[in-house]
Amino acid sequence: MATIKDVAKLSGISRSTVSRVINNHPYVNDEKRSRVKQAMKELGYFPNSSAQRLRGSKTRTIAVLISRIVNPFFSGLVDAMDEVATESGYQLILCNTRGSRERELKYLDLLKTKQVDGVILASVENNWEDIKPYLGYGPIVSCNEYTAQTDIPSFKINHYEATFQAIIHFIKNGRKKIAFCCGDEPIGSDLGVDREKGFFQALSEHDLLFQDEWYFKNVSSVEDGRGVLKRIEKMDDRPDAIFTGSDEVAMGIIAQSQLSSIIVPQDLSVIGFDDQQMSGVLKPGLTTIKQPIKQMGRETMTYMLQILNKQKELAGTEKVLQYKFIKRDT
Amino acid sequence: MATIKDVAKLSGISRSTVSRVINNHPYVNDEKRSRVKQAMKELGYFPNSSAQRLRGSKTRTIAVLISRIVNPFFSGLVDAMDEVATESGYQLILCNTRGSRERELKYLDLLKTKQVDGVILASVENNWEDIKPYLGYGPIVSCNEYTAQTDIPSFKINHYEATFQAIIHFIKNGRKKIAFCCGDEPIGSDLGVDREKGFFQALSEHDLLFQDEWYFKNVSSVEDGRGVLKRIEKMDDRPDAIFTGSDEVAMGIIAQSQLSSIIVPQDLSVIGFDDQQMSGVLKPGLTTIKQPIKQMGRETMTYMLQILNKQKELAGTEKVLQYKFIKRDT
């Protein structure tokens, strides 16, 4: 493969001048610059990006940590981030942590080894105290998940309020026995904590009773939702409404109900979370909380690029975006 | 940040020996090796991966080109590839080409600039003659999309046969006026060509007539599917069946039919493509062609890693995987 030496030889221009052209250094006259560029083209010479990085250039690469790309919430978020990144000539390393703390730390190592300029945490598995040291190697911005302990920028909706509103909707429609689902419990995030607080606050304001067996942990997929419905079928004291925390879980519950004696929404009212595309296509239409996925992804990436370009500080700012309660049939 | 010099100073061991430890060179005694590692740990020293790359190391990064991550087909494929890659300590750069030829070439440049070790093409926008020169910089493997012109490994299903079978299914069920949808027309791929051939072959074997207005081009999303149904509504001579080429288009058609006088499947029978998760959740259940997404993603990535580890050759091999016709309600 062609080297700087070859370019120098073909163009008849010194290696140091060729190097200045490659690095867009000023003080090279136009005629020499064009002769060098011509020689580079003829030889098919491309500067080695690893060499450029050693000289302090940036990787123009951002690591985006999510738990699983097959969740439409995350693919939508990544898509929006990617849109902004490519507009500015950046690319994304996709970091599917699959809920593993170990894998999350391995991806954070990309900052240490200078393979990325910054990290966006759209899922969090570790405690903040284990993540914080990585800030010594580059900026970290959080999106969707969050914790009060951090001093980094975060983009999110108010999960306490959204959940509270969903439960009040059930109560206004006469539901009295309301079940609750949550995903895995990322110890480094307050998102799940806030949803749970909103849920129990609404219940207690209306003096509603709760059964332990109506609390479903570690449910996040369509399959998990089917499992939830199967467990409800076997209960002596069945809930008459369920907050699923996820459109996928909600769709699993609805799909499984069609194979059971439980009718949605007559016997069991269901509220999802996210407003994924299919929520409006399904019959019955899914009542859900619409997250501003595109806006959240775009604003997070924009902020990250501004930090990298020294237009913004890496500080503990919070941006709370607006969610929307979407009332359909369930 | 700590340097090799600092590690040498703290451990009391020469820089050249420290360097040998970092690069896992043999001929360093265990005592020195452990003193160096201890010093690296104390100083929080990490070898700069860009420097390692210059010395010929690999990036352990693969670029995966897809058209859009929000399509569950692609997020499923990327997820399967990622599973295999991370098992071997590789990571993915997500390359959302969004159907742009220019962006595709920019992503292929990652091979030239040594930012990735290999490229997987799960979507193709350019002619093979424009892509081929990139083989000079590293391996390219194709997955899903394919063309007869290439001499690289490809993993795919038989789209001619799958489409032919779907149309025969319509015909056996008494349908006579069959419409056809296709996505954008990537000039570098035979996938669309083969589906079209299968479609018209089935029609001609049964002497069925076709109207030009039953050919829907550039449809690939749920929204596009809604548009297709709206156009059918306005036709004087409506089709009684439609091959959508995509579950998302099929779902859009079904969703829109619920707002129209056209009843699926009585008035319009629908066959999707992919068997996405929601296809079995929807009512009516979507009849579709199940692609072996997970297997295709895993086998493609496995082959790529074998090429990089010199266990396989970069040759024009074809692996044709088994699809499955899934009969549901539509």
Side-chain angles (χ1 to χ4, degrees):
Chain A
M1 217 169 294
T3 64
I4 290 195
K5 213 168 150 184
D6 301 325
V7 176
K9 202 171 163 192
L10 183 67
S11 62
I13 286 171
S14 75
R15 280 176 66 175
S16 59
T17 304
V18 169
S19 164
R20 280 200 293 277
V21 171
I22 291 166
N23 293 296
N24 290 314
H25 222 275
Y27 311 126
V28 180
N29 77 43
D30 286 351
E31 188 251 336
K32 281 188 183 171
R33 190 181 298 275
S34 97
R35 270 165 61 196
V36 169
K37 295 233 161 173
Q38 181 58 34
M40 283 167 67
K41 205 172 156 186
E42 280 176 34
L43 292 164
Y45 172 81
F46 271 81
N48 182 318
S49 69
S50 298
Q52 292 192 306
R53 277 178 217 175
L54 265 188
R55 290 188 299 272
S57 304
K58 295 298 183 180
T59 63
R60 298 190 86 80
T61 306
I62 310 289
V64 178
L65 274 69
I66 59 169
S67 52
R68 39 185 210 110
I69 192 67
V70 290
N71 179 339
F73 171 76
F74 286 119
S75 60
L77 203 60
V78 166
D79 187 60
M81 289 179 183
D82 176 69
E83 240 176 49
V84 174
T86 51
E87 279 162 18
S88 299
Y90 278 76
Q91 63 223 4
L92 304 188
I93 289 194
L94 180 71
C95 306
N96 245 335
T97 64
R98 299 176 201 276
S100 153
R101 285 203 224 173
E102 196 192 344
R103 201 170 282 169
E104 182 171 277
L105 295 179
K106 251 191 98 220
Y107 282 127
L108 282 162
D109 279 342
L110 293 170
L111 262 186
K112 275 195 183 171
T113 53
K114 303 196 191 336
Q115 287 173 273
V116 300
D117 297 343
V119 167
I120 293 175
L121 291 177
S123 63
V124 186
E125 305 303 331
N126 287 278
N127 269 316
W128 177 241
E129 62 196 46
D130 294 323
I131 296 173
K132 194 172 180 178
Y134 288 90
L135 281 173
Y137 303 96
I140 301 174
V141 171
S142 81
C143 172
N144 175 44
E145 300 272 2
Y146 55 91
T147 146
Q149 302 168 307
T150 66
D151 37 17
I152 57 173
S154 73
F155 293 80
K156 59 184 184 185
I157 66 161
N158 188 326
H159 286 271
Y160 169 85
E161 231 178 72
T163 308
F164 183 84
Q165 185 177 346
I167 307 310
I168 294 299
H169 173 81
F170 279 145
I171 296 171
K172 278 190 179 160
N173 283 280
R175 307 288 165 155
K176 290 194 162 62
K177 307 198 291 183
I178 306 171
F180 181 80
C181 303
C182 64
D184 58 344
E185 298 166 275
I187 54 175
S189 168
D190 290 343
L191 184 154
V193 177
D194 284 347
R195 285 187 183 176
E196 193 186 286
K197 276 186 196 163
F199 177 80
F200 284 110
Q201 181 62 29
L203 253 54
S204 90
E205 285 185 13
H206 291 80
D207 298 322
L208 293 184
L209 295 177
F210 186 70
Q211 309 274 6
D212 283 348
E213 63 173 352
W214 299 345
Y215 196 115
F216 298 92
K217 280 185 189 173
N218 296 312
V219 288
S220 57
S221 67
V222 172
E223 261 326 288
D224 293 339
R226 289 185 182 272
V228 167
L229 199 281
K230 285 179 196 165
R231 281 165 62 190
I232 290 176
E233 261 194 295
K234 288 182 196 143
M235 289 180 187
D236 294 325
D237 190 12
R238 291 182 186 166
D240 58 11
I242 185 161
F243 171 84
T244 64
S246 143
D247 280 5
E248 288 185 286
V249 171
M251 288 177 201
I253 289 174
I254 295 168
Q256 190 64 30
S257 76
Q258 290 162 347
L259 308 174
S260 87
S261 62
I262 297 176
I263 297 170
V264 174
Q266 286 85 330
D267 302 327
L268 184 70
S269 186
V270 178
I271 293 183
F273 214 106
D274 292 347
D275 194 35
Q276 293 174 3
Q277 197 171 36
M278 288 304 139
S279 315
V281 172
L282 272 179
K283 284 282 145 185
L286 182 64
T287 298
T288 190
I289 291 148
K290 186 186 181 69
Q291 294 219 60
I293 299 179
K294 189 162 180 160
Q295 186 195 0
M296 192 157 31
R298 290 191 65 95
E299 290 201 15
T300 304
M301 183 57 78
T302 301
Y303 203 95
M304 170 59 84
L305 298 183
Q306 285 171 333
I307 291 171
L308 293 174
N309 293 319
K310 320 254 181 249
Q311 295 160 331
K312 284 267 165 66
E313 298 260 323
L314 182 69
T317 51
E318 261 192 6
K319 174 79 184 273
V320 181
L321 305 170
Q322 288 307 305
Y323 65 88
K324 205 173 158 185
F325 187 74
I326 309 276
K327 200 171 161 292
R328 294 201 183 94
D329 313 323
T330 63
Chain B
M1 216 169 296
T3 63
I4 290 195
K5 213 167 149 184
D6 301 324
V7 176
K9 203 171 162 192
L10 183 67
S11 62
I13 287 170
S14 74
R15 279 176 65 175
S16 57
T17 304
V18 169
S19 164
R20 278 201 293 276
V21 172
I22 291 166
N23 291 298
N24 289 315
H25 223 274
Y27 312 127
V28 180
N29 76 45
D30 286 350
E31 188 251 334
K32 282 189 182 171
R33 191 181 298 273
S34 97
R35 270 164 63 196
V36 169
K37 294 234 162 172
Q38 182 57 33
M40 282 168 68
K41 206 174 158 188
E42 279 176 33
L43 291 163
Y45 171 81
F46 271 80
N48 182 319
S49 69
S50 298
Q52 292 193 306
R53 276 177 217 176
L54 265 188
R55 289 189 299 272
S57 304
K58 295 298 183 179
T59 64
R60 299 191 84 80
T61 307
I62 310 287
V64 178
L65 275 69
I66 58 169
S67 52
R68 40 186 209 108
I69 191 69
V70 290
N71 180 339
F73 170 76
F74 286 118
S75 59
L77 202 60
V78 166
D79 187 60
M81 289 178 183
D82 176 69
E83 242 176 47
V84 173
T86 51
E87 280 163 16
S88 300
Y90 278 76
Q91 62 222 5
L92 305 188
I93 289 194
L94 180 71
C95 305
N96 242 335
T97 65
R98 298 174 201 279
S100 153
R101 286 204 224 173
E102 197 190 343
R103 200 169 284 167
E104 181 171 277
L105 296 179
K106 250 190 100 221
Y107 282 127
L108 282 162
D109 279 342
L110 293 170
L111 262 187
K112 275 195 184 174
T113 53
K114 304 195 191 332
Q115 288 174 273
V116 299
D117 297 342
V119 167
I120 292 175
L121 292 177
S123 64
V124 187
E125 305 302 332
N126 287 277
N127 271 315
W128 177 241
E129 62 196 45
D130 293 324
I131 295 173
K132 194 173 181 178
Y134 289 90
L135 281 174
Y137 303 96
I140 301 174
V141 171
S142 82
C143 172
N144 175 44
E145 300 271 2
Y146 55 90
T147 147
Q149 302 169 308
T150 66
D151 38 17
I152 57 173
S154 73
F155 293 80
K156 60 183 184 185
I157 65 161
N158 187 328
H159 286 272
Y160 170 86
E161 232 178 71
T163 309
F164 182 84
Q165 185 178 346
I167 308 309
I168 294 298
H169 173 81
F170 280 145
I171 296 171
K172 279 189 178 158
N173 283 280
R175 307 288 165 155
K176 290 195 161 62
K177 307 198 291 183
I178 307 171
F180 181 80
C181 303
C182 64
D184 59 344
E185 298 166 274
I187 53 174
S189 168
D190 290 343
L191 184 155
V193 176
D194 284 346
R195 286 188 183 176
E196 194 186 287
K197 276 186 197 163
F199 177 79
F200 285 110
Q201 181 64 29
L203 254 53
S204 90
E205 286 185 13
H206 291 81
D207 297 322
L208 293 183
L209 294 176
F210 186 71
Q211 307 275 5
D212 284 347
E213 64 174 352
W214 298 344
Y215 196 115
F216 298 91
K217 280 184 189 172
N218 296 311
V219 289
S220 57
S221 67
V222 172
E223 261 325 288
D224 293 339
R226 288 185 183 272
V228 167
L229 200 280
K230 285 178 195 165
R231 281 163 62 190
I232 290 176
E233 260 194 295
K234 288 183 194 140
M235 289 180 187
D236 295 324
D237 190 11
R238 291 181 186 166
D240 58 12
I242 186 162
F243 171 84
T244 64
S246 142
D247 280 5
E248 288 186 284
V249 171
M251 288 176 201
I253 289 174
I254 294 168
Q256 190 64 30
S257 75
Q258 290 162 346
L259 309 174
S260 86
S261 62
I262 296 176
I263 298 171
V264 174
Q266 288 85 332
D267 302 327
L268 184 69
S269 187
V270 179
I271 293 183
F273 213 106
D274 292 348
D275 194 36
Q276 293 175 3
Q277 196 171 37
M278 288 305 139
S279 315
V281 173
L282 272 178
K283 284 282 144 187
L286 181 64
T287 298
T288 190
I289 291 149
K290 185 185 183 69
Q291 295 218 58
I293 299 178
K294 190 162 180 158
Q295 185 196 1
M296 192 158 29
R298 290 190 65 94
E299 290 201 14
T300 304
M301 183 57 77
T302 301
Y303 202 95
M304 170 59 85
L305 298 184
Q306 286 171 333
I307 290 171
L308 292 174
N309 293 320
K310 320 256 182 246
Q311 296 160 329
K312 283 268 166 67
E313 298 259 323
L314 181 69
T317 52
E318 261 193 5
K319 173 80 185 272
V320 181
L321 304 170
Q322 288 307 306
Y323 64 88
K324 203 172 160 188
F325 188 74
I326 309 276
K327 200 170 162 291
R328 295 200 184 92
D329 314 322
T330 62

